Structures are given as structure tokens and as C-alpha cells.
Amino acid sequence: MAYAVHFAATILACWLTAQVLAAARWTWRAPRVAIVCWQAVGLALGLSAMGLPMAVGLAAYDRPTGGALLALADDLAHGTLPAGVGAAHLGLVGVGFGIGAVLLTTTVRAVHGAVRAQRRHRELLSLVARRDPTVPGALVLDHPSAAAYCLPGVRPRVVVSAGTVDLLDPAELAAVLTHERAHAQERHDLVLLPFTALCRALPWFGWVRDAHARVALLVEMRADDKARELHAEEPLAGALRRFAAAGHRLTPAGTLGIGDRDLDVRVQRLLVADRPPRVLGATALAVAATLVTLPISLFLS
């Protein structure tokens, strides 16, 4: 049962780490580090949720889960099982595999849904969007609402509405375009994908949904940082203020939009020049690495 206790402890540690990350504000100063920590929590949680019932079912083998699974497979092939392994224990192993199947299935469904939505929107853009020399490298939609978003994928597209072109001055528009290109370059859609899958697989856990919201905000802050590196704080902050005042904003499904999340918080953050907390960030990464290492080592041993 010692290995089951390790998995249970990891699940508890994931929950505690998620609570700390959700309440922390240093994450706003180091969004890339915080995103890695959240990813580690998600991976460790998924592996431990699979491993816990398996470890309980395989307790009679008294070895790490990976080795116990191999031993069980060998015993089943020879038609013999050790004392202490019955139908209930095999059922628990099946539950672990079932959790893994649910996580894999929801991830595949999330990928399929995102790709399908992106394909439909890309086809729509080919019909209604246009190039504009005042907006280099982007497509323009003739729509009065404020919209600026990245359509991710192998061939990403940055899209702005005519309303956005009229709303922003040239410096603000350039900062917005850099923000959206950062989403495409760093594949932030893939960063969010596992958390979307976890929300679908574990909908009864409120802290899983909160994790998705937190990571989505951190992704926007990371793109804000990339835009700030090239355009300073004021143009992007001004653009966010204009988006906040614009009222109706558009962000189609399957895209990453600049104006759809916590605009006031992001403006305040841009105007406060705090350095990333190096020691705290390094500590958080060490905790994240430990969380992931334990379940992986139990499966590989």
C-alpha cells in the first residue's frame, strides 16, 4: 500500500499547489514559470489519478506500479495470480486504466473539436477577410465590433476587425498584432488544451475549472509581455483600455483573443514594472518537477 499512499499524497500535493498558485500574485510577474507549474500540476494529477486505484489493486505485488503491472500481465498470461489478488483488485486496476482512457479520450475530443472549429473559421476567413496595407501580416474583417485574435494551427492567422483598426492608433495596433503573433509562435492553444481536457474529464472539481481560467489568464499575460518587449507598456495598455471601453467584443471559438479576459487586471500589471521573482520562481519549478517526477518514477520502475 506504500505506493498507493505515494499517489494519494501526490494528488493532495497537486490540490494544495493549485490552491497556492491560484491565490499567488507573483505568477503575474512570471507567467511563463507559472504556466510550467500549472502544466506540471495537471500532468501529475492525471498520472496519479490513474496510479492510485492501480496501486491499491496491485498492493500484493509490493513493487512500484510499472513493475507490478508487468508482473500482473505475466501472471495472467500463465493463468495464475498471487494470493491477495482477486476480482476486486483486478477491478481497481481496470478503474485506473479507465481513468487513463477517459483522459486520453477527452484530450482527443478536445483536439478534434479545436481543429474542426479552426478549419471552419479558416475557410470562412478565406471568403470574407481581406488584406490591408495598414495592418501588415494580418487579415481584416469588415465588422464594427472590436476584435483581435489569433487563429492557431500549423498555418496561424492573426485577424483584426475594421472596428479595431478604427479604434486603435498605429502604435496600439502594432502592439496588439505582436501580442497575437506571440500566441501563434508559442502555441498557447496547446498550452490550454490539457486543461480543457481535464475540465471535461473532471467536471465536478471546481479547482480544475479554476486552473483552466488561471492558465488562460497567464497565457494572455505572457503574450502581453512579448508585446511589451517590442512596444513598451503604454501602447498595449492603451489598446487594452480601448477594448475594455468598447463594450461588445468578438472572440470566435477555437481562437485566442486579446480582449476577452481580465482587461483591467492586465492593464494594471503592465503599468507596474516589477521584476520576475527569481528565487520564488525557481522554488516553484522545483516543486513542480518533484510533483511530476514521483508518479512517473512509479510507473517506470
Side-chain angles (χ1 to χ4, degrees), residues 36-90:
V36 172
C37 291
W38 276 112
Q39 288 176 314
V41 169
L43 178 58
L45 175 64
L47 292 174
S48 297
M50 291 172 52
L52 178 57
M54 289 183 178
V56 174
L58 298 169
Y61 285 97
D62 194 27
R63 66 182 71 179
T65 306
L69 284 172
L70 292 176
L72 174 64
D74 184 66
D75 287 343
L76 290 174
H78 290 87
T80 61
L81 289 174
V85 177
H89 299 88
L90 295 178

Short mmCIF file of all heavy atoms in Angstrom, two decimals, residues 36-90:
data_model
loop_
_atom_site.label_atom_id
_atom_site.label_comp_id
_atom_site.label_asym_id
_atom_site.label_seq_id
_atom_site.Cartn_x
_atom_site.Cartn_y
_atom_site.Cartn_z
N VAL A 36 4.31 26.75 -16.61
CA VAL A 36 5.00 25.46 -16.47
C VAL A 36 4.56 24.76 -15.19
O VAL A 36 4.33 23.54 -15.18
CB VAL A 36 6.53 25.68 -16.48
CG1 VAL A 36 7.26 24.38 -16.14
CG2 VAL A 36 6.99 26.18 -17.85
N CYS A 37 4.41 25.52 -14.10
CA CYS A 37 3.98 24.92 -12.84
C CYS A 37 2.57 24.35 -12.96
O CYS A 37 2.30 23.23 -12.48
CB CYS A 37 4.03 25.96 -11.72
SG CYS A 37 5.70 26.48 -11.27
N TRP A 38 1.68 25.08 -13.58
CA TRP A 38 0.32 24.58 -13.78
C TRP A 38 0.32 23.33 -14.65
O TRP A 38 -0.43 22.37 -14.40
CB TRP A 38 -0.56 25.65 -14.40
CG TRP A 38 -1.15 26.62 -13.43
CD1 TRP A 38 -0.86 27.95 -13.31
CD2 TRP A 38 -2.16 26.36 -12.46
NE1 TRP A 38 -1.61 28.52 -12.32
CE2 TRP A 38 -2.43 27.57 -11.78
CE3 TRP A 38 -2.87 25.21 -12.09
CZ2 TRP A 38 -3.36 27.66 -10.76
CZ3 TRP A 38 -3.81 25.31 -11.07
CH2 TRP A 38 -4.06 26.52 -10.42
N GLN A 39 1.15 23.31 -15.69
CA GLN A 39 1.23 22.12 -16.54
C GLN A 39 1.72 20.91 -15.75
O GLN A 39 1.22 19.80 -15.93
CB GLN A 39 2.16 22.40 -17.73
CG GLN A 39 1.57 23.34 -18.76
CD GLN A 39 2.56 23.66 -19.87
OE1 GLN A 39 3.72 23.94 -19.61
NE2 GLN A 39 2.10 23.62 -21.11
N ALA A 40 2.70 21.14 -14.87
CA ALA A 40 3.21 20.05 -14.04
C ALA A 40 2.12 19.53 -13.11
O ALA A 40 1.98 18.32 -12.91
CB ALA A 40 4.41 20.53 -13.24
N VAL A 41 1.34 20.43 -12.53
CA VAL A 41 0.24 20.02 -11.65
C VAL A 41 -0.76 19.18 -12.43
O VAL A 41 -1.22 18.13 -11.95
CB VAL A 41 -0.44 21.26 -11.03
CG1 VAL A 41 -1.75 20.87 -10.35
CG2 VAL A 41 0.48 21.93 -10.03
N GLY A 42 -1.12 19.63 -13.64
CA GLY A 42 -2.08 18.88 -14.44
C GLY A 42 -1.58 17.49 -14.80
O GLY A 42 -2.33 16.50 -14.72
N LEU A 43 -0.31 17.40 -15.21
CA LEU A 43 0.26 16.10 -15.58
C LEU A 43 0.35 15.17 -14.38
O LEU A 43 -0.01 13.99 -14.44
CB LEU A 43 1.64 16.31 -16.20
CG LEU A 43 2.40 15.04 -16.61
CD1 LEU A 43 1.60 14.22 -17.61
CD2 LEU A 43 3.77 15.40 -17.19
N ALA A 44 0.83 15.70 -13.25
CA ALA A 44 0.95 14.88 -12.04
C ALA A 44 -0.41 14.41 -11.56
O ALA A 44 -0.58 13.26 -11.10
CB ALA A 44 1.66 15.68 -10.95
N LEU A 45 -1.41 15.29 -11.65
CA LEU A 45 -2.76 14.90 -11.22
C LEU A 45 -3.31 13.78 -12.09
O LEU A 45 -3.86 12.80 -11.57
CB LEU A 45 -3.69 16.12 -11.30
CG LEU A 45 -5.16 15.84 -10.98
CD1 LEU A 45 -5.32 15.38 -9.54
CD2 LEU A 45 -6.00 17.08 -11.24
N GLY A 46 -3.16 13.91 -13.42
CA GLY A 46 -3.66 12.87 -14.31
C GLY A 46 -2.99 11.52 -14.07
O GLY A 46 -3.66 10.48 -13.98
N LEU A 47 -1.66 11.52 -13.94
CA LEU A 47 -0.94 10.27 -13.70
C LEU A 47 -1.30 9.66 -12.35
O LEU A 47 -1.45 8.44 -12.23
CB LEU A 47 0.56 10.52 -13.79
CG LEU A 47 1.12 10.87 -15.17
CD1 LEU A 47 2.59 11.23 -15.07
CD2 LEU A 47 0.92 9.72 -16.15
N SER A 48 -1.44 10.51 -11.34
CA SER A 48 -1.74 9.99 -10.00
C SER A 48 -3.18 9.49 -9.91
O SER A 48 -3.45 8.52 -9.19
CB SER A 48 -1.50 11.08 -8.95
OG SER A 48 -0.14 11.45 -8.94
N ALA A 49 -4.09 10.14 -10.62
CA ALA A 49 -5.47 9.65 -10.63
C ALA A 49 -5.54 8.26 -11.25
O ALA A 49 -6.34 7.41 -10.83
CB ALA A 49 -6.36 10.62 -11.40
N MET A 50 -4.71 8.01 -12.26
CA MET A 50 -4.62 6.66 -12.83
C MET A 50 -3.93 5.71 -11.86
O MET A 50 -4.36 4.57 -11.67
CB MET A 50 -3.83 6.70 -14.14
CG MET A 50 -4.49 7.39 -15.30
SD MET A 50 -3.34 7.55 -16.69
CE MET A 50 -2.75 5.87 -16.87
N GLY A 51 -2.84 6.16 -11.26
CA GLY A 51 -2.00 5.27 -10.48
C GLY A 51 -2.58 4.84 -9.15
O GLY A 51 -2.30 3.72 -8.69
N LEU A 52 -3.40 5.70 -8.52
CA LEU A 52 -3.90 5.38 -7.19
C LEU A 52 -4.73 4.08 -7.17
O LEU A 52 -4.41 3.16 -6.39
CB LEU A 52 -4.71 6.55 -6.64
CG LEU A 52 -5.35 6.33 -5.26
CD1 LEU A 52 -4.30 5.97 -4.23
CD2 LEU A 52 -6.13 7.58 -4.84
N PRO A 53 -5.78 3.93 -8.00
CA PRO A 53 -6.51 2.66 -7.95
C PRO A 53 -5.66 1.48 -8.41
O PRO A 53 -5.81 0.36 -7.89
CB PRO A 53 -7.71 2.90 -8.88
CG PRO A 53 -7.30 4.03 -9.76
CD PRO A 53 -6.40 4.88 -8.94
N MET A 54 -4.75 1.71 -9.35
CA MET A 54 -3.87 0.62 -9.76
C MET A 54 -2.98 0.16 -8.62
O MET A 54 -2.81 -1.05 -8.39
CB MET A 54 -2.99 1.08 -10.94
CG MET A 54 -3.70 1.26 -12.24
SD MET A 54 -2.52 1.72 -13.54
CE MET A 54 -3.60 1.81 -14.96
N ALA A 55 -2.42 1.10 -7.89
CA ALA A 55 -1.52 0.74 -6.79
C ALA A 55 -2.26 -0.01 -5.69
O ALA A 55 -1.72 -0.94 -5.08
CB ALA A 55 -0.86 2.00 -6.23
N VAL A 56 -3.51 0.39 -5.42
CA VAL A 56 -4.30 -0.33 -4.41
C VAL A 56 -4.57 -1.75 -4.90
O VAL A 56 -4.43 -2.72 -4.14
CB VAL A 56 -5.61 0.42 -4.13
CG1 VAL A 56 -6.50 -0.42 -3.20
CG2 VAL A 56 -5.33 1.78 -3.50
N GLY A 57 -4.94 -1.89 -6.17
CA GLY A 57 -5.23 -3.22 -6.70
C GLY A 57 -4.02 -4.11 -6.80
O GLY A 57 -4.14 -5.35 -6.76
N LEU A 58 -2.84 -3.52 -6.93
CA LEU A 58 -1.62 -4.29 -7.10
C LEU A 58 -0.77 -4.34 -5.83
O LEU A 58 0.41 -4.68 -5.89
CB LEU A 58 -0.79 -3.69 -8.25
CG LEU A 58 -1.45 -3.70 -9.63
CD1 LEU A 58 -0.65 -2.84 -10.60
CD2 LEU A 58 -1.58 -5.12 -10.16
N ALA A 59 -1.36 -4.00 -4.70
CA ALA A 59 -0.60 -3.93 -3.44
C ALA A 59 0.08 -5.26 -3.09
O ALA A 59 1.15 -5.27 -2.48
CB ALA A 59 -1.52 -3.49 -2.31
N ALA A 60 -0.53 -6.37 -3.51
CA ALA A 60 0.04 -7.69 -3.17
C ALA A 60 1.39 -7.91 -3.81
O ALA A 60 2.19 -8.73 -3.32
CB ALA A 60 -0.94 -8.79 -3.59
N TYR A 61 1.68 -7.21 -4.90
CA TYR A 61 2.97 -7.41 -5.57
C TYR A 61 4.10 -6.67 -4.86
O TYR A 61 5.28 -6.97 -5.11
CB TYR A 61 2.87 -6.94 -7.02
CG TYR A 61 2.10 -7.90 -7.90
CD1 TYR A 61 0.76 -7.70 -8.17
CD2 TYR A 61 2.72 -9.00 -8.46
CE1 TYR A 61 0.05 -8.57 -8.98
CE2 TYR A 61 2.04 -9.88 -9.27
CZ TYR A 61 0.70 -9.67 -9.53
OH TYR A 61 -0.01 -10.55 -10.32
N ASP A 62 3.75 -5.68 -4.04
CA ASP A 62 4.74 -4.96 -3.24
C ASP A 62 5.92 -4.46 -4.07
O ASP A 62 7.09 -4.68 -3.75
CB ASP A 62 5.27 -5.85 -2.10
CG ASP A 62 6.04 -5.03 -1.05
OD1 ASP A 62 5.74 -3.84 -0.92
OD2 ASP A 62 6.93 -5.60 -0.41
N ARG A 63 5.60 -3.81 -5.17
CA ARG A 63 6.62 -3.19 -6.02
C ARG A 63 5.99 -1.98 -6.72
O ARG A 63 4.76 -1.85 -6.73
CB ARG A 63 7.18 -4.19 -7.04
CG ARG A 63 6.17 -4.66 -8.08
CD ARG A 63 6.77 -5.67 -9.04
NE ARG A 63 7.01 -6.97 -8.39
CZ ARG A 63 7.50 -8.01 -9.04
NH1 ARG A 63 7.84 -7.91 -10.32
NH2 ARG A 63 7.69 -9.16 -8.40
N PRO A 64 6.80 -1.08 -7.28
CA PRO A 64 6.24 0.08 -7.97
C PRO A 64 5.22 -0.32 -9.05
O PRO A 64 5.27 -1.44 -9.58
CB PRO A 64 7.46 0.76 -8.58
CG PRO A 64 8.58 0.37 -7.67
CD PRO A 64 8.27 -1.03 -7.25
N THR A 65 4.34 0.59 -9.38
CA THR A 65 3.18 0.28 -10.22
C THR A 65 3.58 -0.26 -11.58
O THR A 65 2.95 -1.21 -12.09
CB THR A 65 2.31 1.53 -10.38
OG1 THR A 65 1.98 2.03 -9.08
CG2 THR A 65 1.03 1.21 -11.14
N GLY A 66 4.60 0.32 -12.20
CA GLY A 66 5.02 -0.17 -13.50
C GLY A 66 5.45 -1.62 -13.47
O GLY A 66 5.00 -2.44 -14.28
N GLY A 67 6.30 -1.96 -12.51
CA GLY A 67 6.75 -3.34 -12.37
C GLY A 67 5.62 -4.27 -11.97
O GLY A 67 5.56 -5.43 -12.43
N ALA A 68 4.71 -3.79 -11.13
CA ALA A 68 3.58 -4.62 -10.72
C ALA A 68 2.66 -4.92 -11.89
O ALA A 68 2.12 -6.03 -12.01
CB ALA A 68 2.81 -3.91 -9.60
N LEU A 69 2.46 -3.94 -12.77
CA LEU A 69 1.63 -4.19 -13.96
C LEU A 69 2.25 -5.24 -14.86
O LEU A 69 1.55 -6.12 -15.39
CB LEU A 69 1.43 -2.88 -14.73
CG LEU A 69 0.44 -1.88 -14.14
CD1 LEU A 69 0.50 -0.56 -14.91
CD2 LEU A 69 -0.99 -2.44 -14.19
N LEU A 70 3.57 -5.18 -15.03
CA LEU A 70 4.24 -6.19 -15.85
C LEU A 70 4.13 -7.58 -15.21
O LEU A 70 3.90 -8.58 -15.90
CB LEU A 70 5.71 -5.82 -16.03
CG LEU A 70 6.00 -4.57 -16.86
CD1 LEU A 70 7.49 -4.26 -16.88
CD2 LEU A 70 5.49 -4.76 -18.29
N ALA A 71 4.27 -7.63 -13.88
CA ALA A 71 4.13 -8.90 -13.18
C ALA A 71 2.71 -9.44 -13.29
O ALA A 71 2.50 -10.65 -13.48
CB ALA A 71 4.51 -8.73 -11.71
N LEU A 72 1.73 -8.56 -13.19
CA LEU A 72 0.34 -8.99 -13.33
C LEU A 72 0.09 -9.53 -14.73
O LEU A 72 -0.58 -10.57 -14.91
CB LEU A 72 -0.60 -7.81 -13.04
CG LEU A 72 -2.09 -8.07 -13.29
CD1 LEU A 72 -2.61 -9.16 -12.35
CD2 LEU A 72 -2.90 -6.78 -13.11
N ALA A 73 0.60 -8.85 -15.73
CA ALA A 73 0.41 -9.32 -17.11
C ALA A 73 1.03 -10.70 -17.30
O ALA A 73 0.44 -11.58 -17.96
CB ALA A 73 1.03 -8.32 -18.08
N ASP A 74 2.20 -10.91 -16.72
CA ASP A 74 2.85 -12.22 -16.82
C ASP A 74 2.04 -13.30 -16.11
O ASP A 74 1.86 -14.41 -16.63
CB ASP A 74 4.26 -12.13 -16.24
CG ASP A 74 5.04 -13.41 -16.40
OD1 ASP A 74 5.34 -13.78 -17.56
OD2 ASP A 74 5.34 -14.05 -15.37
N ASP A 75 1.51 -12.96 -14.93
CA ASP A 75 0.70 -13.93 -14.19
C ASP A 75 -0.59 -14.27 -14.95
O ASP A 75 -1.01 -15.43 -15.00
CB ASP A 75 0.35 -13.38 -12.80
CG ASP A 75 1.56 -13.38 -11.87
OD1 ASP A 75 2.54 -14.09 -12.18
OD2 ASP A 75 1.52 -12.68 -10.85
N LEU A 76 -1.21 -13.25 -15.52
CA LEU A 76 -2.43 -13.51 -16.29
C LEU A 76 -2.14 -14.37 -17.52
O LEU A 76 -2.95 -15.23 -17.91
CB LEU A 76 -3.08 -12.18 -16.71
CG LEU A 76 -3.71 -11.34 -15.59
CD1 LEU A 76 -4.16 -9.99 -16.13
CD2 LEU A 76 -4.89 -12.07 -14.96
N ALA A 77 -0.98 -14.15 -18.13
CA ALA A 77 -0.61 -14.96 -19.29
C ALA A 77 -0.42 -16.42 -18.93
O ALA A 77 -0.69 -17.32 -19.74
CB ALA A 77 0.66 -14.40 -19.92
N HIS A 78 0.04 -16.66 -17.69
CA HIS A 78 0.25 -18.04 -17.24
C HIS A 78 -0.96 -18.60 -16.49
O HIS A 78 -0.92 -19.74 -16.01
CB HIS A 78 1.49 -18.12 -16.34
CG HIS A 78 2.77 -17.91 -17.07
ND1 HIS A 78 3.32 -16.67 -17.30
CD2 HIS A 78 3.63 -18.81 -17.67
CE1 HIS A 78 4.45 -16.78 -17.96
NE2 HIS A 78 4.67 -18.07 -18.22
N GLY A 79 -2.00 -17.79 -16.34
CA GLY A 79 -3.22 -18.27 -15.70
C GLY A 79 -3.14 -18.42 -14.21
O GLY A 79 -3.93 -19.16 -13.60
N THR A 80 -2.20 -17.73 -13.57
CA THR A 80 -2.07 -17.80 -12.10
C THR A 80 -1.99 -16.39 -11.53
O THR A 80 -1.44 -15.48 -12.16
CB THR A 80 -0.80 -18.57 -11.70
OG1 THR A 80 0.35 -17.90 -12.22
CG2 THR A 80 -0.85 -20.01 -12.21
N LEU A 81 -2.55 -16.23 -10.32
CA LEU A 81 -2.49 -14.96 -9.62
C LEU A 81 -1.99 -15.21 -8.21
O LEU A 81 -2.33 -16.23 -7.60
CB LEU A 81 -3.87 -14.30 -9.57
CG LEU A 81 -4.41 -13.74 -10.89
CD1 LEU A 81 -5.84 -13.25 -10.70
CD2 LEU A 81 -3.53 -12.61 -11.41
N PRO A 82 -1.21 -14.29 -7.66
CA PRO A 82 -0.72 -14.48 -6.29
C PRO A 82 -1.84 -14.33 -5.27
O PRO A 82 -2.90 -13.77 -5.56
CB PRO A 82 0.32 -13.36 -6.14
CG PRO A 82 -0.12 -12.31 -7.09
CD PRO A 82 -0.72 -13.04 -8.26
N ALA A 83 -1.61 -14.82 -4.09
CA ALA A 83 -2.58 -14.67 -3.01
C ALA A 83 -2.80 -13.18 -2.73
O ALA A 83 -1.85 -12.39 -2.73
CB ALA A 83 -2.08 -15.37 -1.75
N GLY A 84 -4.04 -12.82 -2.51
CA GLY A 84 -4.36 -11.42 -2.23
C GLY A 84 -4.76 -10.64 -3.45
O GLY A 84 -5.03 -9.44 -3.34
N VAL A 85 -4.78 -11.25 -4.62
CA VAL A 85 -5.21 -10.57 -5.84
C VAL A 85 -6.46 -11.29 -6.34
O VAL A 85 -6.40 -12.42 -6.83
CB VAL A 85 -4.11 -10.59 -6.93
CG1 VAL A 85 -4.63 -9.93 -8.21
CG2 VAL A 85 -2.87 -9.86 -6.44
N GLY A 86 -7.59 -10.61 -6.18
CA GLY A 86 -8.86 -11.19 -6.61
C GLY A 86 -9.56 -10.30 -7.61
O GLY A 86 -8.96 -9.37 -8.18
N ALA A 87 -10.85 -10.58 -7.80
CA ALA A 87 -11.63 -9.83 -8.78
C ALA A 87 -11.70 -8.34 -8.43
O ALA A 87 -11.63 -7.48 -9.32
CB ALA A 87 -13.03 -10.42 -8.89
N ALA A 88 -11.84 -8.04 -7.14
CA ALA A 88 -11.92 -6.63 -6.73
C ALA A 88 -10.63 -5.89 -7.05
O ALA A 88 -10.65 -4.73 -7.50
CB ALA A 88 -12.22 -6.55 -5.24
N HIS A 89 -9.50 -6.55 -6.83
CA HIS A 89 -8.21 -5.92 -7.11
C HIS A 89 -8.03 -5.70 -8.61
O HIS A 89 -7.53 -4.65 -9.04
CB HIS A 89 -7.07 -6.78 -6.55
CG HIS A 89 -7.14 -6.96 -5.08
ND1 HIS A 89 -7.85 -7.98 -4.50
CD2 HIS A 89 -6.59 -6.23 -4.05
CE1 HIS A 89 -7.73 -7.89 -3.18
NE2 HIS A 89 -6.98 -6.85 -2.88
N LEU A 90 -8.43 -6.70 -9.40
CA LEU A 90 -8.36 -6.53 -10.86
C LEU A 90 -9.30 -5.41 -11.31
O LEU A 90 -8.99 -4.66 -12.25
CB LEU A 90 -8.72 -7.84 -11.55
CG LEU A 90 -7.75 -9.00 -11.33
CD1 LEU A 90 -8.26 -10.25 -12.04
CD2 LEU A 90 -6.35 -8.65 -11.83
#
